[in-house]
Amino acid sequence: MIKDLDDTIFEMLQKEAASGSELESATISFAVPDDNWRSTGKDLSLNVYLYDIRENRMFRSNEMIREYTPSGEIMIKKAPPRVDCSFIITAWDKSKPYNPNNIVMEHRLLSQVLEVLLRNPVIPDSYLSGLLVGQEPEIRISTSKGEGVPNPVEFWNALGTPFRPSIDCTFTLSLELLSRPQTSTVVTSQVTRFSQKDKPETQSEIINIGGKIINSIY
């Protein structure tokens, strides 16, 4: 599912890029932005690095989902947990020799990415890939929400590079459980009430219950 999310983000950034923009021509990578990655390539690059995966407990639900099958049965399953996948997005000019003036180009690239993310509070269905297709609820996008990498200085020091401007972005998706849903026969009931006209005290009722007996104590 994480690979499907990478493919979805890639598709959205490319398809939403304005014609002639830095984003349209930039190389998009999901690799760790370490020395090995920084030393390869010669083009303007956008790095979208997944640094954190955790359950979103704010959206946790104990509600059971009920779906009717074509055979007339009802399928009951737990609501899937919601998971936050957080990315740190950075722009890199890998041209040789490096031109300090190209920092402006990196900033334009980040601005264009930020514009795409902010205009899409949820990922449009047309960009969804693999297991994310048809997922409910929609995949939410939270951009620059303030928390970000817990200690950005240590993060960049661990990768051997000075602190860089970045966009922090979190995608909240559903993680379908592998446990099998329970299937049960639909139970229906019908209540019919009778009474003489203008004599409510004569009211009586007949209750009919329809279903399938799967266990009996007799």
Side-chain angles (χ1 to χ4, degrees):
M1 183 173 287
I2 302 301
K3 175 61 168 59
D4 293 334
L5 179 58
D6 290 346
D7 293 341
T8 296
I9 296 171
F10 182 90
E11 183 79 1
M12 181 175 68
L13 292 176
Q14 283 217 320
K15 292 293 180 62
E16 297 263 337
S19 177
S21 66
E22 283 77 11
L23 180 55
E24 183 185 41
S25 59
T27 300
I28 301 176
S29 172
F30 294 86
V32 181
D34 56 10
D35 285 334
N36 292 332
W37 179 79
R38 294 195 302 271
S39 63
T40 59
K42 299 179 181 180
D43 304 321
L44 181 65
S45 298
L46 184 72
N47 187 276
V48 185
Y49 177 61
L50 176 64
Y51 70 86
D52 188 68
I53 304 173
R54 66 182 63 197
E55 181 186 1
N56 187 318
R57 297 188 177 182
M58 182 181 299
F59 293 141
R60 176 184 287 180
S61 174
N62 293 322
E63 181 181 359
M64 302 300 289
I65 298 175
R66 293 170 171 80
E67 299 177 356
Y68 291 95
T69 67
S71 63
E73 295 181 316
I74 186 170
M75 185 172 63
I76 304 173
K77 61 182 179 179
K78 293 182 179 179
R82 306 293 297 283
V83 176
D84 285 343
C85 296
S86 298
F87 295 79
I88 186 168
I89 303 175
T90 47
W92 305 76
D93 175 25
K94 296 184 178 183
S95 60
K96 307 287 189 304
Y98 177 74
N99 183 353
N101 293 328
N102 285 352
I103 190 70
V104 176
M105 186 165 57
E106 295 178 354
H107 289 177
R108 282 202 302 266
L109 176 55
L110 283 179
S111 298
Q112 293 158 12
V113 172
L114 186 60
E115 184 179 336
V116 171
L117 296 173
L118 290 178
R119 94 171 151 248
N120 292 288
V122 298
I123 298 180
D125 292 343
S126 58
Y127 302 139
L128 297 177
S129 177
L131 295 175
L132 302 185
V133 176
Q135 183 174 116
E136 294 182 0
E138 298 171 303
I139 300 176
R140 296 165 55 103
I141 304 176
S142 302
T143 306
S144 300
K145 58 183 181 179
E147 292 87 347
V149 177
N151 193 324
V153 176
E154 286 188 4
F155 174 83
W156 289 113
N157 284 343
L159 296 175
T161 187
F163 185 87
R164 295 186 65 85
S166 61
I167 298 172
D168 187 88
C169 186
T170 298
F171 298 82
T172 303
L173 51 101
S174 299
L175 187 63
E176 291 289 344
L177 297 177
L178 298 180
S179 58
R180 294 183 178 180
Q182 297 179 354
T183 302
S184 177
T185 302
V186 178
V187 176
T188 59
S189 60
Q190 179 185 56
V191 179
T192 306
R193 294 184 175 88
F194 303 89
S195 66
Q196 296 181 26
K197 186 176 180 180
D198 300 326
K199 293 183 179 181
E201 68 276 5
T202 63
Q203 179 175 291
S204 61
E205 63 181 28
I206 297 175
I207 302 176
N208 295 312
I209 299 177
K212 179 180 180 181
I213 299 175
I214 60 175
N215 189 21
S216 175
I217 61 174
Y218 299 104

